[in-house]
Amino acid sequence: MPEDLNTGLLLFLPYRAMETRVLEELAAAGFDDLTPSQARVFQRIAPGGSRLSDLARQAGITKQSTGFLVDQLERLGYVRRVPDPDDGRARLVQIADRGRRGVEASRAVVARVEAEWEAHLGKRRMTQLRDILADLREITDPWR
Amino acid sequence: MPEDLNTGLLLFLPYRAMETRVLEELAAAGFDDLTPSQARVFQRIAPGGSRLSDLARQAGITKQSTGFLVDQLERLGYVRRVPDPDDGRARLVQIADRGRRGVEASRAVVARVEAEWEAHLGKRRMTQLRDILADLREITDPWR
DNA sequence: AGAAGATGGTAAGAGAATCTGACATGTTTG
DNA sequence: CAAACATGTCAGATTCTCTTACCATCTTCT
């Protein structure tokens, strides 16, 4: 079949492959209580912690849904909430101990998958891919 | 912030942007009864029709979930089900009239968004992006 | 041909994820 | 200060997805 897939779908396939691999290998490493939705929120927490609204915007879901998922992550020990020193209304969602270990484990999986992709594409094209995507981000990331 | 996003997230951002744009502009054009989940299944129907199981595999969800969404698409007039002449067990999900018009409308939106991307990236890098993604598909598409 | 297994699809019920609307509280701005 | 805005929560409904179980048909093997 002559390939004429739209670029959106073409982007989706490797994205989904990466997500699946990370979740699978994380589960095998003992982090088997994470759901895809929880992970999608979790992965966006900034080093010093993030506000709920920011996480919601980045994940593209409502604050309510985000709160629902953060509650679960908190109960599972992946994150904690602390008051935001700069804003009395806000709280910061920070990565807790179990979360920290999860981040390390997932970083390893991501590196492995990226290495596989690079082995298939070649170093040069893998770099091109990342460059182009980073550039595209400027007009497709509603967040930053 | 130094940009070190993992490639999965970098892929996700433009994918999501494309999906959002298509759904928004489709809604504005009168196709306001489509949900994202329905659209994700619908967009994978092959020209001559597809089997439910194939759609399920491609979308990465169960046959039951797919059936649930196809039921809705059928009720909304986007698809119809006909017996598969080659297999008495199977039925083909085919695009119906309203679906056909939706396909045309969405094709136009996709073309517009791709043009915007190309204007930002330049023709050369847009082509490179598509080439690389098509290549990456060989090891990340569980379907074909 | 007949049995065993694989494949296509549906049914029922439960759980997860998401949304809308309303609200309390704190912050920023005119 | 008052008005507008932002942060987060609560309550309730809806949508989406999964698991388990099942039936019908097709394919393969003996």
mmCIF file with all atom_site columns, all heavy atoms in Angstrom, chain A residues 46-67:
data_model
loop_
_atom_site.group_PDB
_atom_site.id
_atom_site.type_symbol
_atom_site.label_atom_id
_atom_site.label_alt_id
_atom_site.label_comp_id
_atom_site.label_asym_id
_atom_site.label_entity_id
_atom_site.label_seq_id
_atom_site.pdbx_PDB_ins_code
_atom_site.Cartn_x
_atom_site.Cartn_y
_atom_site.Cartn_z
_atom_site.occupancy
_atom_site.B_iso_or_equiv
_atom_site.pdbx_formal_charge
_atom_site.auth_seq_id
_atom_site.auth_comp_id
_atom_site.auth_asym_id
_atom_site.auth_atom_id
_atom_site.pdbx_PDB_model_num
ATOM 1   N N   . ALA A 1 46 ? 8.121   19.413 37.190 1.00 0.00 ? 46 ALA A N   1
ATOM 2   C CA  . ALA A 1 46 ? 9.426   20.072 37.085 1.00 0.00 ? 46 ALA A CA  1
ATOM 3   C C   . ALA A 1 46 ? 10.293  19.689 38.283 1.00 0.00 ? 46 ALA A C   1
ATOM 4   O O   . ALA A 1 46 ? 9.783   19.267 39.327 1.00 0.00 ? 46 ALA A O   1
ATOM 5   C CB  . ALA A 1 46 ? 9.228   21.584 37.028 1.00 0.00 ? 46 ALA A CB  1
ATOM 6   N N   . PRO A 1 47 ? 11.616  19.809 38.140 1.00 0.00 ? 47 PRO A N   1
ATOM 7   C CA  . PRO A 1 47 ? 12.549  19.431 39.202 1.00 0.00 ? 47 PRO A CA  1
ATOM 8   C C   . PRO A 1 47 ? 12.171  19.971 40.584 1.00 0.00 ? 47 PRO A C   1
ATOM 9   O O   . PRO A 1 47 ? 12.159  19.225 41.560 1.00 0.00 ? 47 PRO A O   1
ATOM 10  C CB  . PRO A 1 47 ? 13.869  20.024 38.718 1.00 0.00 ? 47 PRO A CB  1
ATOM 11  C CG  . PRO A 1 47 ? 13.764  19.998 37.238 1.00 0.00 ? 47 PRO A CG  1
ATOM 12  C CD  . PRO A 1 47 ? 12.317  20.280 36.931 1.00 0.00 ? 47 PRO A CD  1
ATOM 13  N N   . GLY A 1 48 ? 11.814  21.232 40.668 1.00 0.00 ? 48 GLY A N   1
ATOM 14  C CA  . GLY A 1 48 ? 11.474  21.786 41.971 1.00 0.00 ? 48 GLY A CA  1
ATOM 15  C C   . GLY A 1 48 ? 10.023  21.631 42.365 1.00 0.00 ? 48 GLY A C   1
ATOM 16  O O   . GLY A 1 48 ? 9.595   22.095 43.413 1.00 0.00 ? 48 GLY A O   1
ATOM 17  N N   . GLY A 1 49 ? 9.247   20.965 41.523 1.00 0.00 ? 49 GLY A N   1
ATOM 18  C CA  . GLY A 1 49 ? 7.825   20.824 41.786 1.00 0.00 ? 49 GLY A CA  1
ATOM 19  C C   . GLY A 1 49 ? 7.006   21.681 40.834 1.00 0.00 ? 49 GLY A C   1
ATOM 20  O O   . GLY A 1 49 ? 7.514   22.655 40.288 1.00 0.00 ? 49 GLY A O   1
ATOM 21  N N   . SER A 1 50 ? 5.771   21.300 40.618 1.00 0.00 ? 50 SER A N   1
ATOM 22  C CA  . SER A 1 50 ? 4.901   22.035 39.698 1.00 0.00 ? 50 SER A CA  1
ATOM 23  C C   . SER A 1 50 ? 3.540   22.279 40.328 1.00 0.00 ? 50 SER A C   1
ATOM 24  O O   . SER A 1 50 ? 3.110   21.523 41.197 1.00 0.00 ? 50 SER A O   1
ATOM 25  C CB  . SER A 1 50 ? 4.688   21.235 38.415 1.00 0.00 ? 50 SER A CB  1
ATOM 26  O OG  . SER A 1 50 ? 5.891   21.056 37.715 1.00 0.00 ? 50 SER A OG  1
ATOM 27  N N   . ARG A 1 51 ? 2.905   23.328 39.876 1.00 0.00 ? 51 ARG A N   1
ATOM 28  C CA  . ARG A 1 51 ? 1.537   23.568 40.324 1.00 0.00 ? 51 ARG A CA  1
ATOM 29  C C   . ARG A 1 51 ? 0.585   22.685 39.558 1.00 0.00 ? 51 ARG A C   1
ATOM 30  O O   . ARG A 1 51 ? 0.817   22.342 38.393 1.00 0.00 ? 51 ARG A O   1
ATOM 31  C CB  . ARG A 1 51 ? 1.149   25.020 40.071 1.00 0.00 ? 51 ARG A CB  1
ATOM 32  C CG  . ARG A 1 51 ? 1.927   25.960 40.916 1.00 0.00 ? 51 ARG A CG  1
ATOM 33  C CD  . ARG A 1 51 ? 1.372   27.346 40.760 1.00 0.00 ? 51 ARG A CD  1
ATOM 34  N NE  . ARG A 1 51 ? 2.236   28.275 41.476 1.00 0.00 ? 51 ARG A NE  1
ATOM 35  C CZ  . ARG A 1 51 ? 2.116   29.590 41.406 1.00 0.00 ? 51 ARG A CZ  1
ATOM 36  N NH1 . ARG A 1 51 ? 1.173   30.117 40.640 1.00 0.00 ? 51 ARG A NH1 1
ATOM 37  N NH2 . ARG A 1 51 ? 2.919   30.365 42.086 1.00 0.00 ? 51 ARG A NH2 1
ATOM 38  N N   . LEU A 1 52 ? -0.527  22.379 40.222 1.00 0.00 ? 52 LEU A N   1
ATOM 39  C CA  . LEU A 1 52 ? -1.562  21.557 39.618 1.00 0.00 ? 52 LEU A CA  1
ATOM 40  C C   . LEU A 1 52 ? -2.042  22.156 38.297 1.00 0.00 ? 52 LEU A C   1
ATOM 41  O O   . LEU A 1 52 ? -2.153  21.442 37.290 1.00 0.00 ? 52 LEU A O   1
ATOM 42  C CB  . LEU A 1 52 ? -2.728  21.453 40.587 1.00 0.00 ? 52 LEU A CB  1
ATOM 43  C CG  . LEU A 1 52 ? -3.790  20.414 40.293 1.00 0.00 ? 52 LEU A CG  1
ATOM 44  C CD1 . LEU A 1 52 ? -3.212  19.028 40.365 1.00 0.00 ? 52 LEU A CD1 1
ATOM 45  C CD2 . LEU A 1 52 ? -4.930  20.550 41.280 1.00 0.00 ? 52 LEU A CD2 1
ATOM 46  N N   . SER A 1 53 ? -2.294  23.432 38.274 1.00 0.00 ? 53 SER A N   1
ATOM 47  C CA  . SER A 1 53 ? -2.818  24.055 37.046 1.00 0.00 ? 53 SER A CA  1
ATOM 48  C C   . SER A 1 53 ? -1.820  23.939 35.909 1.00 0.00 ? 53 SER A C   1
ATOM 49  O O   . SER A 1 53 ? -2.205  23.759 34.759 1.00 0.00 ? 53 SER A O   1
ATOM 50  C CB  . SER A 1 53 ? -3.121  25.531 37.260 1.00 0.00 ? 53 SER A CB  1
ATOM 51  O OG  . SER A 1 53 ? -3.392  25.798 38.586 1.00 0.00 ? 53 SER A OG  1
ATOM 52  N N   . ASP A 1 54 ? -0.543  24.062 36.240 1.00 0.00 ? 54 ASP A N   1
ATOM 53  C CA  . ASP A 1 54 ? 0.459   23.946 35.189 1.00 0.00 ? 54 ASP A CA  1
ATOM 54  C C   . ASP A 1 54 ? 0.480   22.537 34.614 1.00 0.00 ? 54 ASP A C   1
ATOM 55  O O   . ASP A 1 54 ? 0.554   22.346 33.400 1.00 0.00 ? 54 ASP A O   1
ATOM 56  C CB  . ASP A 1 54 ? 1.843   24.297 35.743 1.00 0.00 ? 54 ASP A CB  1
ATOM 57  C CG  . ASP A 1 54 ? 1.966   25.783 36.054 1.00 0.00 ? 54 ASP A CG  1
ATOM 58  O OD1 . ASP A 1 54 ? 1.075   26.547 35.608 1.00 0.00 ? 54 ASP A OD1 1
ATOM 59  O OD2 . ASP A 1 54 ? 2.925   26.171 36.727 1.00 0.00 ? 54 ASP A OD2 1
ATOM 60  N N   . LEU A 1 55 ? 0.406   21.563 35.501 1.00 0.00 ? 55 LEU A N   1
ATOM 61  C CA  . LEU A 1 55 ? 0.388   20.184 35.034 1.00 0.00 ? 55 LEU A CA  1
ATOM 62  C C   . LEU A 1 55 ? -0.829  19.951 34.149 1.00 0.00 ? 55 LEU A C   1
ATOM 63  O O   . LEU A 1 55 ? -0.746  19.284 33.113 1.00 0.00 ? 55 LEU A O   1
ATOM 64  C CB  . LEU A 1 55 ? 0.369   19.218 36.220 1.00 0.00 ? 55 LEU A CB  1
ATOM 65  C CG  . LEU A 1 55 ? 1.634   19.212 37.083 1.00 0.00 ? 55 LEU A CG  1
ATOM 66  C CD1 . LEU A 1 55 ? 1.454   18.265 38.264 1.00 0.00 ? 55 LEU A CD1 1
ATOM 67  C CD2 . LEU A 1 55 ? 2.844   18.805 36.242 1.00 0.00 ? 55 LEU A CD2 1
ATOM 68  N N   . ALA A 1 56 ? -1.954  20.505 34.561 1.00 0.00 ? 56 ALA A N   1
ATOM 69  C CA  . ALA A 1 56 ? -3.185  20.336 33.791 1.00 0.00 ? 56 ALA A CA  1
ATOM 70  C C   . ALA A 1 56 ? -3.025  20.925 32.393 1.00 0.00 ? 56 ALA A C   1
ATOM 71  O O   . ALA A 1 56 ? -3.346  20.280 31.398 1.00 0.00 ? 56 ALA A O   1
ATOM 72  C CB  . ALA A 1 56 ? -4.346  21.010 34.515 1.00 0.00 ? 56 ALA A CB  1
ATOM 73  N N   . ARG A 1 57 ? -2.500  22.146 32.344 1.00 0.00 ? 57 ARG A N   1
ATOM 74  C CA  . ARG A 1 57 ? -2.316  22.784 31.034 1.00 0.00 ? 57 ARG A CA  1
ATOM 75  C C   . ARG A 1 57 ? -1.393  21.965 30.136 1.00 0.00 ? 57 ARG A C   1
ATOM 76  O O   . ARG A 1 57 ? -1.674  21.747 28.959 1.00 0.00 ? 57 ARG A O   1
ATOM 77  C CB  . ARG A 1 57 ? -1.742  24.189 31.222 1.00 0.00 ? 57 ARG A CB  1
ATOM 78  C CG  . ARG A 1 57 ? -2.799  25.280 31.261 1.00 0.00 ? 57 ARG A CG  1
ATOM 79  C CD  . ARG A 1 57 ? -2.158  26.652 31.190 1.00 0.00 ? 57 ARG A CD  1
ATOM 80  N NE  . ARG A 1 57 ? -1.432  26.970 32.421 1.00 0.00 ? 57 ARG A NE  1
ATOM 81  C CZ  . ARG A 1 57 ? -1.986  27.567 33.484 1.00 0.00 ? 57 ARG A CZ  1
ATOM 82  N NH1 . ARG A 1 57 ? -3.265  27.888 33.449 1.00 0.00 ? 57 ARG A NH1 1
ATOM 83  N NH2 . ARG A 1 57 ? -1.279  27.827 34.556 1.00 0.00 ? 57 ARG A NH2 1
ATOM 84  N N   . GLN A 1 58 ? -0.284  21.523 30.714 1.00 0.00 ? 58 GLN A N   1
ATOM 85  C CA  . GLN A 1 58 ? 0.678   20.784 29.904 1.00 0.00 ? 58 GLN A CA  1
ATOM 86  C C   . GLN A 1 58 ? 0.125   19.453 29.417 1.00 0.00 ? 58 GLN A C   1
ATOM 87  O O   . GLN A 1 58 ? 0.397   19.019 28.308 1.00 0.00 ? 58 GLN A O   1
ATOM 88  C CB  . GLN A 1 58 ? 1.954   20.527 30.713 1.00 0.00 ? 58 GLN A CB  1
ATOM 89  C CG  . GLN A 1 58 ? 2.734   21.782 31.001 1.00 0.00 ? 58 GLN A CG  1
ATOM 90  C CD  . GLN A 1 58 ? 3.965   21.482 31.839 1.00 0.00 ? 58 GLN A CD  1
ATOM 91  O OE1 . GLN A 1 58 ? 4.842   20.764 31.436 1.00 0.00 ? 58 GLN A OE1 1
ATOM 92  N NE2 . GLN A 1 58 ? 3.998   22.034 33.039 1.00 0.00 ? 58 GLN A NE2 1
ATOM 93  N N   . ALA A 1 59 ? -0.633  18.789 30.280 1.00 0.00 ? 59 ALA A N   1
ATOM 94  C CA  . ALA A 1 59 ? -1.174  17.486 29.890 1.00 0.00 ? 59 ALA A CA  1
ATOM 95  C C   . ALA A 1 59 ? -2.406  17.647 29.003 1.00 0.00 ? 59 ALA A C   1
ATOM 96  O O   . ALA A 1 59 ? -2.867  16.695 28.385 1.00 0.00 ? 59 ALA A O   1
ATOM 97  C CB  . ALA A 1 59 ? -1.515  16.670 31.131 1.00 0.00 ? 59 ALA A CB  1
ATOM 98  N N   . GLY A 1 60 ? -2.933  18.872 28.975 1.00 0.00 ? 60 GLY A N   1
ATOM 99  C CA  . GLY A 1 60 ? -4.102  19.106 28.144 1.00 0.00 ? 60 GLY A CA  1
ATOM 100 C C   . GLY A 1 60 ? -5.388  18.547 28.730 1.00 0.00 ? 60 GLY A C   1
ATOM 101 O O   . GLY A 1 60 ? -6.281  18.144 28.005 1.00 0.00 ? 60 GLY A O   1
ATOM 102 N N   . ILE A 1 61 ? -5.480  18.490 30.042 1.00 0.00 ? 61 ILE A N   1
ATOM 103 C CA  . ILE A 1 61 ? -6.705  18.028 30.697 1.00 0.00 ? 61 ILE A CA  1
ATOM 104 C C   . ILE A 1 61 ? -7.101  19.069 31.745 1.00 0.00 ? 61 ILE A C   1
ATOM 105 O O   . ILE A 1 61 ? -6.358  20.011 32.008 1.00 0.00 ? 61 ILE A O   1
ATOM 106 C CB  . ILE A 1 61 ? -6.522  16.639 31.355 1.00 0.00 ? 61 ILE A CB  1
ATOM 107 C CG1 . ILE A 1 61 ? -5.383  16.679 32.365 1.00 0.00 ? 61 ILE A CG1 1
ATOM 108 C CG2 . ILE A 1 61 ? -6.266  15.579 30.298 1.00 0.00 ? 61 ILE A CG2 1
ATOM 109 C CD1 . ILE A 1 61 ? -5.184  15.370 33.095 1.00 0.00 ? 61 ILE A CD1 1
ATOM 110 N N   . THR A 1 62 ? -8.282  18.884 32.330 1.00 0.00 ? 62 THR A N   1
ATOM 111 C CA  . THR A 1 62 ? -8.757  19.879 33.294 1.00 0.00 ? 62 THR A CA  1
ATOM 112 C C   . THR A 1 62 ? -8.023  19.762 34.627 1.00 0.00 ? 62 THR A C   1
ATOM 113 O O   . THR A 1 62 ? -7.409  18.739 34.932 1.00 0.00 ? 62 THR A O   1
ATOM 114 C CB  . THR A 1 62 ? -10.262 19.701 33.568 1.00 0.00 ? 62 THR A CB  1
ATOM 115 O OG1 . THR A 1 62 ? -10.473 18.391 34.102 1.00 0.00 ? 62 THR A OG1 1
ATOM 116 C CG2 . THR A 1 62 ? -11.070 19.871 32.301 1.00 0.00 ? 62 THR A CG2 1
ATOM 117 N N   . LYS A 1 63 ? -8.132  20.823 35.405 1.00 0.00 ? 63 LYS A N   1
ATOM 118 C CA  . LYS A 1 63 ? -7.538  20.813 36.740 1.00 0.00 ? 63 LYS A CA  1
ATOM 119 C C   . LYS A 1 63 ? -8.136  19.678 37.576 1.00 0.00 ? 63 LYS A C   1
ATOM 120 O O   . LYS A 1 63 ? -7.425  19.028 38.353 1.00 0.00 ? 63 LYS A O   1
ATOM 121 C CB  . LYS A 1 63 ? -7.843  22.137 37.459 1.00 0.00 ? 63 LYS A CB  1
ATOM 122 C CG  . LYS A 1 63 ? -7.162  23.342 36.884 1.00 0.00 ? 63 LYS A CG  1
ATOM 123 C CD  . LYS A 1 63 ? -7.497  24.592 37.695 1.00 0.00 ? 63 LYS A CD  1
ATOM 124 C CE  . LYS A 1 63 ? -8.980  24.947 37.657 1.00 0.00 ? 63 LYS A CE  1
ATOM 125 N NZ  . LYS A 1 63 ? -9.324  26.117 38.479 1.00 0.00 ? 63 LYS A NZ  1
ATOM 126 N N   . GLN A 1 64 ? -9.415  19.476 37.412 1.00 0.00 ? 64 GLN A N   1
ATOM 127 C CA  . GLN A 1 64 ? -10.097 18.446 38.206 1.00 0.00 ? 64 GLN A CA  1
ATOM 128 C C   . GLN A 1 64 ? -9.535  17.061 37.918 1.00 0.00 ? 64 GLN A C   1
ATOM 129 O O   . GLN A 1 64 ? -9.272  16.270 38.832 1.00 0.00 ? 64 GLN A O   1
ATOM 130 C CB  . GLN A 1 64 ? -11.589 18.451 37.922 1.00 0.00 ? 64 GLN A CB  1
ATOM 131 C CG  . GLN A 1 64 ? -12.308 19.705 38.380 1.00 0.00 ? 64 GLN A CG  1
ATOM 132 C CD  . GLN A 1 64 ? -12.320 20.784 37.325 1.00 0.00 ? 64 GLN A CD  1
ATOM 133 O OE1 . GLN A 1 64 ? -11.356 20.949 36.587 1.00 0.00 ? 64 GLN A OE1 1
ATOM 134 N NE2 . GLN A 1 64 ? -13.402 21.529 37.236 1.00 0.00 ? 64 GLN A NE2 1
ATOM 135 N N   . SER A 1 65 ? -9.363  16.774 36.630 1.00 0.00 ? 65 SER A N   1
ATOM 136 C CA  . SER A 1 65 ? -8.822  15.462 36.263 1.00 0.00 ? 65 SER A CA  1
ATOM 137 C C   . SER A 1 65 ? -7.399  15.328 36.795 1.00 0.00 ? 65 SER A C   1
ATOM 138 O O   . SER A 1 65 ? -6.992  14.272 37.297 1.00 0.00 ? 65 SER A O   1
ATOM 139 C CB  . SER A 1 65 ? -8.808  15.300 34.745 1.00 0.00 ? 65 SER A CB  1
ATOM 140 O OG  . SER A 1 65 ? -10.111 15.379 34.234 1.00 0.00 ? 65 SER A OG  1
ATOM 141 N N   . THR A 1 66 ? -6.652  16.411 36.682 1.00 0.00 ? 66 THR A N   1
ATOM 142 C CA  . THR A 1 66 ? -5.281  16.382 37.166 1.00 0.00 ? 66 THR A CA  1
ATOM 143 C C   . THR A 1 66 ? -5.251  16.130 38.672 1.00 0.00 ? 66 THR A C   1
ATOM 144 O O   . THR A 1 66 ? -4.461  15.313 39.164 1.00 0.00 ? 66 THR A O   1
ATOM 145 C CB  . THR A 1 66 ? -4.578  17.712 36.842 1.00 0.00 ? 66 THR A CB  1
ATOM 146 O OG1 . THR A 1 66 ? -4.741  17.994 35.456 1.00 0.00 ? 66 THR A OG1 1
ATOM 147 C CG2 . THR A 1 66 ? -3.102  17.634 37.173 1.00 0.00 ? 66 THR A CG2 1
ATOM 148 N N   . GLY A 1 67 ? -6.129  16.798 39.387 1.00 0.00 ? 67 GLY A N   1
ATOM 149 C CA  . GLY A 1 67 ? -6.193  16.599 40.830 1.00 0.00 ? 67 GLY A CA  1
ATOM 150 C C   . GLY A 1 67 ? -6.515  15.161 41.184 1.00 0.00 ? 67 GLY A C   1
ATOM 151 O O   . GLY A 1 67 ? -5.918  14.569 42.089 1.00 0.00 ? 67 GLY A O   1
#
